[in-house]
Amino acid sequence: MTEEDGDRPLSLVLFSGTDDKLTAAAVMAVGAAAMGRRVNVFLQYYALDAFRADRVHDDHGLVPEAGLKPAARIRANGRTHWSELLSQAKEAGDVDVEACALSMDTLGIRRDELHPLVDGVEGVAAFMAAAADGPIVFI
Amino acid sequence: MTEEDGDRPLSLVLFSGTDDKLTAAAVMAVGAAAMGRRVNVFLQYYALDAFRADRVHDDHGLVPEAGLKPAARIRANGRTHWSELLSQAKEAGDVDVEACALSMDTLGIRRDELHPLVDGVEGVAAFMAAAADGPIVFI
Amino acid sequence: MTEEDGDRPLSLVLFSGTDDKLTAAAVMAVGAAAMGRRVNVFLQYYALDAFRADRVHDDHGLVPEAGLKPAARIRANGRTHWSELLSQAKEAGDVDVEACALSMDTLGIRRDELHPLVDGVEGVAAFMAAAADGPIVFI
């Protein structure tokens, strides 16, 4: 361990758009931001689709393996919505949310259709540069 | 490459609870532990559910994309169970398995319901601190 | 930030074999290789199955959560196939693609059945050693 530990950014590639995975991602962002760690979020495919301004609060389902009983508990738990957790992370620290330019094109999504939590649109090279040598988590 | 290479911990966030993904995770833990690398395992959602003491040896299925033929081979292969692999990893090196406090609460799981492989319960901030600048793998 | 940023390898564990995830992985490989970063790809389970020489161009489907509308757009988009992207990544930089020895055995795949994009077969310990302290992305 050195005094540099934990000073590298945490980079999250959000690919899945189910509410359970988006919540897991947002919880990591909150934890890292609260520790003063820079967080880069890169939205692709189904996660990007879930960040359309008019769909954020839709029911995005759970991963297919969610059994009936766990699913019922997860849905009933009245937890904070992932968009709210991500908003808290942005207030607590340095969190940048970027839409993947290629996924925007593939899915036919325009910049003005995205939720205000999204800070911009960038390519994978810009994301990789921002990630530097920090961990990259694909969710 | 420096002499410091590989000295950072490997941190695994286990989210999925299917037997194929849990096996892939356990194999990584074995490999890293055998190399003398610290391994942090953080159990969330469906993976946490699979670590209930009375469910570890249940059939947790495979990911939905498992085709009939690969699935048959994977099931027929008489491999070592992931819990046994993880046990081997703990014997070989420094492997810490923590249940995510938030997931415990969400799924209504009590500490005494968990398998002895689980060393404790912690929040995401503690996990992020332990991960430091090492890789974080979400499975 | 130090002048060393981005000099560690990017290591991708490909577990899923759906075309959308394989494309996301290949795009990351292209981006990293173009930046001069070493890329290690480790093929397991369903991703390994997709790299059989006679199946690379099969339809490997999308993840189960793909909604009808996004799926139609993703399929209709005439994008570059992931195998072609990976080939471009190998031309642009230092990209090594290895099949997981354990998965080869589990799935009963022989070395000569794999696509020429695959450079060799190795165990998880060799992969972890190559990954060193760089990010490890599980897809």
Side-chain angles (χ1 to χ4, degrees), chain B residues 38-113:
Chain B
R38 160 93 176 175
V39 180
N40 303 310
V41 180
F42 193 53
L43 305 174
Q44 296 187 322
Y45 286 80
Y46 316 107
L48 177 61
D49 203 60
F51 274 81
R52 290 182 196 251
D54 61 348
R55 298 189 192 174
V56 161
H57 289 280
D58 284 3
D59 178 351
H60 300 284
L62 304 175
V63 296
E65 68 179 275
L68 283 181
K69 213 166 164 186
R73 288 201 67 100
I74 290 167
R75 290 183 185 285
N77 214 282
R79 292 164 312 153
T80 311
H81 191 263
W82 50 263
S83 62
E84 176 56 31
L85 288 171
L86 201 52
S87 180
Q88 289 172 13
K90 293 184 86 157
E91 280 162 33
D94 183 12
V95 179
D96 184 57
V97 181
E98 299 286 335
C100 168
L102 188 60
S103 288
M104 293 285 281
D105 189 51
T106 300
L107 294 175
I109 300 176
R110 295 191 321 273
R111 177 73 186 84
D112 62 5
E113 293 177 286

Side-chain angles (χ1 to χ4, degrees), chain A residues 51-74:
Chain A
F51 273 81
R52 291 183 197 249
D54 60 348
R55 298 190 192 173
V56 162
H57 289 280
D58 284 2
D59 178 351
H60 300 284
L62 304 175
V63 296
E65 68 179 274
L68 282 181
K69 214 165 163 187
R73 288 202 66 100
I74 290 166

Side-chain angles (χ1 to χ4, degrees), chain C residues 75-131:
Chain C
R75 290 183 185 287
N77 215 281
R79 291 165 313 153
T80 311
H81 191 264
W82 50 263
S83 64
E84 176 55 30
L85 289 171
L86 201 53
S87 179
Q88 289 172 14
K90 292 184 87 156
E91 280 162 34
D94 183 11
V95 179
D96 183 58
V97 181
E98 298 286 334
C100 168
L102 189 59
S103 288
M104 293 285 283
D105 189 51
T106 300
L107 294 175
I109 300 176
R110 295 193 320 274
R111 176 72 187 85
D112 62 4
E113 293 177 287
L114 295 173
H115 191 275
L117 279 168
V118 183
D119 297 296
V121 178
E122 70 181 18
V124 71
F127 171 74
M128 291 299 300

